[in-house]
Amino acid sequence: MATAHTAEEQIEKLREEIRHHEYLYYMLDAPEISDAQYDALMNQLKKLEAEHPGLITPDSPTQRVGGKPGGGFAKVAHSRPMLSLDNAYNAEELRAWDSRVRTGLSSSESVKYVCELKLDGLSMALQYTAAQDGSARLQRGLTRGDGTTGEDVTTNVRTIRSVPLSVSAKKLAAAKLPQDFEVRGEVVLPHVAFVKMNEERVAQGMAPAANPRNAAAGTIRTLEPNIVAQRRLDLYAYFLLRDGETLLPTHTETLEALRTAGFRVNPHAKTVKNIDGVIEFIAAAEPLRETLGYEIDGVVIKVDSTAQQRRLGFTGKAPRWAIAYKFAARAAVTKLEDVHFQVGRTGKVTPVAVLVPVLIGGTTVTRATLHNADEIARLGVKIGDSVQVERGGDVIPKIVEVVEDKQHPRGNKEIVFPSTCPVCGTELVRVEGEVDWRCINNSCPARVREELLHWASRGVMNIEGLGDAMVAQLLGQAPTFDGETAEVTEEGAPITTRKPLIYNIADLYRLKREQLLGLERVGEKTADALLAQIDRSCSAGLARVLLGLGIRFVGERTAQLLAQHFGSIEALKKATAEELEAVNEVGPKVAQAIVEFFAIEKNQQLISDLESLGLKMTAEKKVVGTALNGLTFVLTGTLPNLTRDEAKERIEAAGGKVSGSVSKKTSFVVAGEEAGSKLEKAQSLGVKILDEEGLLELLKG
Ligand code: IVH
């Protein structure tokens, strides 16, 4: 068939192109196309594959999120044990190891070493096997487990973008690799992803993960591949085996071959000719820690020559030919002097620990977050206690535990969570089922400050020149410049020094040039530039306005969906919770928050003020079908033709909603092959079950 042939070629070409761009993006950090262009290619491929389901192969870039692994993970034996390493903590110990290595070999031989960063994550074995088209395909991903047997976490590993699902025959040839081999490497969670994950956990009332390594380990063992996919794990490859044996003559060549084959190999690796070279590398590596964006806890040093490695062999648990140099821990014990309570934009009150200054990893730490009242209770911490403070991926250090021994007697002053706002005195409120205490005074100066900063921020109105110092001055508070800390009252409230020029967001749009010129460090140029920026923001449109208003749970995407659905603030304002829930991805919690927001008189006033001041409060409406209006679907298992994303897209385009978990409210569960617990739950709740065909029928309306 001529058309099928063309489709096949087209699909293969698209896959190649997508793989190439994934490679540029994830491996080389040098993308050549925008995210939107990448998405467009991916959508094109998804569409073609949906039209020709017979052509979908497991290594297609569309297949990164497959079915679910289903209850627990299978245990699988490693091809060769995954050992740990002996540690060294100083140059002396390294030199002692170097002598042992050289004594183990004959005295005339020279020994080269490869230095690599010691990534602080979890190790992983990736097994590749021969595919018919000459490529190597990812067959299995195993955790280290007990070193001899690991857990099969293939489904989750497949969601990691820096793990190639297949290595083409061409790449194999370039790297001089066979079609079956095993790659070992470290899975890490980058700092940004870690911070995001913890914010979500804390918002949901869960304890934050202590560090990125724990977070990565927890993530890889999650039973929901979709969650793993969202977390943005990374894998750095550092070993290459075949039948349990090192394949290439040197480790330097191994790293190069891995790179050529398309694996992400850490760029900070160096081959050196003796132990002095190792010590130099370590000195240069330690400061990198601050800027890498992922955790490292030392340097791994390996004998370069595979033949020499073989002759050196292993002790019981570790190779003699490698050692881990461990950096000093980025944790320290210090004393908790006091706790301040900070009020955020949403009124959330966050306890902040005031610490006796302590040097951790080259930075003086004086504050640490205590997250919320539950966290204080969990730690059982009191003022005067000695505490273990850790600097992980978070920029903000955290208290990990209370330390108690002879040198560190317990403190005795209870931390009292305030019952009123430390800034404006309004009584704090804790919504049932939530962890946070909030100040509900919309005019609270602390909240107004944060609201203005949020409104001006990048991604919202993007008003340049409206930063900390300017906002403080506009609010009549003492300004801070160049990172000085603002003067505050004893309770941490800002000090008001003169009459504010503005009291809320709308006032920004009423600012006059003369008013600005009266401020510190504001000349004509600065004033005019700021006014122009504020003016420009008037036309940002409804989605940005909604985002800027800071309605709880309304992030960028929800704001956009709401804007597209309702088209104007007038329509949105009038929407009932039910009408709001008809919007894709808007659940009862979000709908409720929106209704509550618009019910508050002050918010109504702000919106009508903004409208009369000329802000654009409309958006282009995007028409969504109505065939599935009001219906909620849960997808489970692998459908014969549609990918999960495809099915979701189609349901949403017809006005339906897709949810992740089955409840009595679910209208239909769409079940494919290897459907698991969700199908069982649907059956037990009496929820209607559809197969793909049934779904397609419904979609036809
Ligand atoms: S080599 C037998 N290279 O550190 C050789 N390991 O303390 C063992 N690690 O279990 C692994 N970065 O999880 C090697 N560049 C690197 C590494 C590395 C991190 C981890 C790995 C290993 C542990 C040993």
Side-chain angles (χ1 to χ4, degrees):
M1 269 193 326
T3 49
H5 184 66
T6 333
E8 191 171 354
E9 276 175 2
Q10 242 178 313
I11 285 177
E12 207 28 67
K13 204 169 141 249
L14 267 171
R15 284 179 187 160
E16 270 309 304
E17 209 175 328
I18 291 169
R19 283 187 195 119
H20 173 67
H21 289 297
E22 285 182 346
Y23 176 76
L24 292 175
Y25 184 95
Y26 292 104
M27 311 290 166
L28 305 184
D29 267 336
E32 284 173 2
I33 58 173
S34 68
D35 287 0
Q37 285 169 312
Y38 172 84
D39 289 344
L41 288 174
M42 198 64 143
N43 286 335
Q44 224 179 321
L45 176 60
K46 278 185 198 158
K47 187 160 165 276
L48 275 172
E49 286 185 348
E51 286 163 10
H52 305 276
L55 297 175
I56 300 178
T57 55
D59 67 339
S60 169
T62 58
Q63 303 299 300
R64 284 204 183 267
V65 181
K68 49 182 296 174
F73 300 103
K75 302 255 189 302
V76 179
H78 285 296
S79 65
R80 153 169 152 184
M82 287 181 87
L83 301 174
S84 62
L85 295 173
D86 286 334
N87 294 327
Y89 295 93
N90 51 48
E92 205 185 333
E93 290 173 10
L94 278 176
R95 290 190 191 280
W97 171 71
D98 171 56
S99 322
R100 288 198 299 278
V101 165
R102 282 182 296 113
T103 336
L105 304 167
S106 72
S107 53
S108 58
E109 279 176 76
S110 72
V111 186
K112 279 194 197 154
Y113 294 118
V114 179
C115 306
E116 286 168 34
L117 299 182
K118 184 169 185 327
L119 305 157
D120 197 10
L122 65 148
S123 44
M124 186 70 57
L126 306 174
Q127 296 172 354
Y128 286 80
T129 53
Q132 279 194 339
D133 60 359
S135 66
R137 245 182 225 168
L138 176 65
Q139 172 81 13
R140 198 183 262 151
L142 292 181
T143 63
R144 176 168 184 271
D146 62 6
T148 320
T149 313
E151 282 182 310
D152 185 336
V153 289
T154 313
T155 321
N156 287 343
V157 166
R158 290 173 64 86
T159 68
I160 303 176
R161 307 285 175 103
S162 43
V163 171
L165 299 180
S166 73
V167 182
S168 68
K170 212 166 119 196
K171 282 220 169 98
L172 288 175
K176 300 206 180 67
L177 287 189
Q179 269 184 284
D180 56 317
F181 54 86
E182 178 173 329
V183 169
R184 290 186 179 178
E186 197 84 353
V187 174
V188 298
L189 187 67
H191 289 163
V192 271
F194 171 67
V195 171
K196 186 163 163 259
M197 169 179 164
N198 265 355
E199 278 170 4
E200 283 166 13
R201 287 180 65 93
V202 169
Q204 287 163 14
M206 292 191 275
N211 51 49
R213 175 174 21 88
N214 289 6
T219 301
I220 209 75
R221 299 189 73 258
T222 303
L223 288 170
E224 266 310 328
N226 283 310
I227 293 184
V228 186
Q230 285 162 18
R231 293 267 169 85
R232 301 283 159 171
L233 292 166
D234 239 335
L235 183 137
Y236 288 98
Y238 51 63
F239 261 129
L240 179 59
L241 305 172
R242 189 188 196 192
D243 299 329
E245 292 294 328
T246 304
L247 192 63
L248 301 176
T250 64
H251 191 63
T252 310
E253 287 163 277
T254 297
L255 295 181
E256 203 40 57
L258 286 169
R259 206 171 269 138
T260 309
F263 289 87
R264 175 172 273 198
V265 174
N266 196 282
H268 305 280
K270 196 174 174 198
T271 310
V272 297
K273 50 182 202 299
N274 56 33
I275 199 71
D276 290 330
V278 169
I279 290 163
E280 260 170 49
F281 180 89
I282 290 172
E286 189 148 12
L288 279 179
R289 253 183 133 172
E290 304 298 326
T291 56
L292 285 171
Y294 48 84
E295 284 296 288
I296 58 170
D297 58 346
V299 169
V300 176
I301 304 112
K302 299 168 187 170
V303 168
D304 192 28
S305 150
T306 307
Q308 287 179 338
Q309 287 183 5
R310 282 209 188 95
R311 278 153 57 210
L312 286 160
F314 299 84
T315 64
K317 69 167 195 36
R320 287 197 187 88
W321 45 264
I323 196 160
Y325 174 90
K326 297 282 274 274
F327 294 144
R330 288 224 289 190
V333 175
T334 185
K335 202 163 159 183
L336 177 64
E337 276 197 317
D338 199 2
V339 175
H340 281 174
F341 294 87
Q342 236 168 38
V343 185
R345 172 169 59 88
T346 58
K348 177 184 163 182
V349 178
T350 306
V352 178
V354 181
L355 305 165
V356 172
V358 60
L359 200 65
I360 308 179
T363 305
T364 306
V365 173
T366 57
R367 309 259 147 151
T369 176
L370 280 162
H371 295 291
N372 52 46
D374 286 11
E375 180 73 356
I376 294 176
R378 191 181 71 83
L379 292 165
V381 62
K382 293 191 172 135
I383 292 169
D385 273 343
S386 296
V387 289
Q388 170 90 0
V389 180
E390 222 171 68
R391 269 180 68 216
D394 258 315
V395 201
I396 309 164
K398 68 176 115 227
I399 292 181
V400 191
E401 59 180 10
V402 175
V403 179
E404 185 182 10
D405 54 34
K406 275 207 186 105
Q407 287 98 52
H408 303 101
R410 290 291 312 257
N412 53 17
K413 193 171 160 209
E414 290 288 340
I415 299 170
V416 187
F417 212 94
S419 57
T420 56
C421 173
V423 178
C424 71
T426 305
E427 201 162 321
L428 298 182
V429 173
R430 182 176 188 161
V431 177
E432 216 185 287
E434 284 182 13
V435 268
D436 296 320
W437 287 92
R438 288 173 195 281
C439 167
I440 50 162
N441 171 15
N442 287 315
S443 319
C444 171
R447 293 188 55 178
V448 172
R449 190 190 112 88
E450 297 301 321
E451 274 165 16
L452 285 164
L453 286 171
H454 171 70
W455 182 267
S457 67
R458 233 192 275 163
V460 185
M461 288 297 169
N462 198 9
I463 302 176
E464 268 172 52
L466 194 56
D468 274 322
M470 182 59 83
V471 166
Q473 289 211 71
L474 293 174
L475 290 173
Q477 298 163 0
T480 58
F481 298 104
D482 309 328
E484 322 161 359
T485 16
E487 276 181 60
V488 290
T489 64
E490 223 167 274
E491 290 78 36
I495 296 171
T496 306
T497 53
R498 73 178 94 67
K499 195 169 168 297
L501 293 181
I502 64 174
Y503 293 90
N504 62 22
I505 293 169
D507 289 344
L508 275 180
Y509 297 88
R510 299 187 177 105
L511 275 171
K512 301 261 169 343
R513 192 167 186 261
E514 307 78 64
Q515 292 177 303
L516 289 176
L517 290 174
L519 299 174
E520 253 178 80
R521 301 200 195 184
V522 178
E524 293 191 356
K525 234 170 118 185
T526 311
D528 289 340
L530 180 59
L531 289 173
Q533 287 278 331
I534 292 174
D535 193 43
R536 187 191 48 90
S537 73
C538 287
S539 53
L542 183 56
R544 295 300 180 97
V545 170
L546 291 177
L547 183 62
L549 288 172
I551 307 168
R552 285 192 75 195
F553 311 119
V554 176
E556 195 169 345
R557 179 158 169 82
T558 309
Q560 203 145 35
L561 291 171
L562 288 168
Q564 282 170 359
H565 187 94
F566 291 97
S568 73
I569 201 133
E570 289 307 319
L572 177 62
K573 198 155 77 173
K574 286 191 228 120
T576 62
E578 226 164 50
E579 286 162 346
L580 287 162
E581 281 188 54
V583 180
N584 280 322
E585 294 177 38
V586 173
K589 205 172 72 172
V590 185
Q592 172 79 7
I594 298 169
V595 170
E596 276 172 18
F597 180 89
F598 286 110
I600 295 170
E601 211 187 293
K602 194 166 157 263
N603 294 337
Q604 294 169 5
Q605 186 63 49
L606 174 63
I607 289 163
S608 81
D609 282 356
L610 287 173
E611 219 165 5
S612 56
L613 285 162
L615 267 90
K616 187 178 164 206
M617 299 276 196
T618 53
E620 227 165 273
K621 260 182 124 167
K622 203 164 136 186
V623 218
V624 175
T626 51
L628 305 185
N629 244 356
L631 299 178
T632 307
F633 293 77
V634 172
L635 303 168
T636 177
T638 315
L639 299 177
N641 299 309
L642 294 176
T643 66
R644 198 153 302 179
D645 283 348
E646 263 277 327
K648 184 165 183 263
E649 244 167 58
R650 294 233 199 148
I651 291 169
E652 289 179 350
K657 259 176 63 173
V658 177
S659 146
S661 54
V662 183
S663 75
K664 267 193 248 159
K665 285 194 194 151
T666 309
S667 323
F668 294 98
V669 165
V670 183
E673 223 175 284
E674 284 179 55
S677 59
K678 286 183 193 167
L679 179 58
E680 279 164 33
K681 183 144 184 218
Q683 282 160 340
S684 73
L685 289 175
V687 173
K688 278 172 264 176
I689 295 159
L690 290 177
D691 58 6
E692 185 183 270
E693 214 175 307
L695 172 66
L696 293 174
E697 276 302 309
L698 262 191
L699 281 166
K700 275 190 210 150

